[in-house]
Amino acid sequence: MVWKLDADQIKSISPNHILFLCVANSARSQMAEGIAKKIVMGKVKIYSAGSKPSQVNPLAIMALLEIDIDISEHFSKRVDTIDSVGVDVVITLCAEEECPVFLGNAKRFHWGLPDPTDEIESFRSVRDELVKRLTYLFEEI
């Protein structure tokens, strides 16, 4: 499990600001942002963005509402609108597509996850994987 090695390395950095990236900033990165924010409860800055933002997928919103996380007010953001100053860690979540590039001094990690399809089950699967990884990452917070 490469992601666990990455998580251990991220823990050793003790980041203050984490950015999740995927292409559209509509599902994976939005869900990661919502889950991480709930876990860290303001102790770490958490953002998400994409290289070709669209809109937050309603199925991503639904999948997180099932675990009492509301991202219905989230909106898709372009990666170049994120101020690179202060971002310690960037985690890319894209799998089959080309990941966005983030310019800055942040340490980069890749946690490739499949882009959910148009069925709620695929969003739940990605959600559950993100919950597992982010719970492990932030277990000491």
Side-chain angles (χ1 to χ4, degrees):
M1 287 191 256
V2 173
W3 70 263
K4 264 193 177 178
L5 296 173
D6 288 348
D8 289 337
Q9 197 172 358
I10 294 167
K11 288 179 190 185
S12 73
I13 296 169
S14 296
N16 293 312
H17 189 167
I18 296 176
L19 173 64
F20 294 99
L21 294 178
C22 66
V23 175
N25 190 220
S26 64
R28 293 165 290 189
S29 56
Q30 289 287 346
M31 289 193 292
E33 178 183 355
I35 294 164
K37 281 183 173 178
K38 179 151 187 177
I39 294 170
V40 302
M41 297 176 64
K43 295 177 183 169
V44 177
K45 288 182 187 177
I46 306 287
Y47 292 101
S48 69
S51 55
K52 296 176 185 169
S54 59
Q55 63 183 16
V56 180
N57 190 304
L59 292 174
I61 295 169
M62 186 185 308
L64 288 192
L65 280 173
E66 292 175 350
I67 59 169
D68 296 319
I69 298 173
D70 185 0
I71 62 167
S72 62
E73 298 297 316
H74 283 206
F75 59 94
S76 296
K77 299 162 289 299
R78 285 192 60 82
V79 67
D80 58 10
T81 66
I82 304 295
D83 184 3
S84 65
V85 177
V87 177
D88 304 299
V89 170
V90 171
I91 300 174
T92 53
L93 299 165
C94 38
E96 58 280 343
E97 62 278 82
E98 188 173 324
C99 290
V101 174
F102 180 76
L103 301 177
N105 295 323
K107 184 80 173 151
R108 291 161 180 81
F109 298 90
H110 180 68
W111 288 2
L113 294 171
D115 196 10
T117 63
D118 290 336
E119 295 187 15
I120 188 67
E121 301 307 324
S122 67
F123 283 83
R124 289 176 180 144
S125 177
V126 170
R127 174 202 66 200
D128 294 346
E129 185 63 26
L130 286 167
V131 166
K132 177 175 72 174
R133 293 179 187 197
L134 294 170
T135 299
Y136 178 81
L137 174 60
F138 296 120
E139 67 188 346
E140 291 152 14
I141 288 182

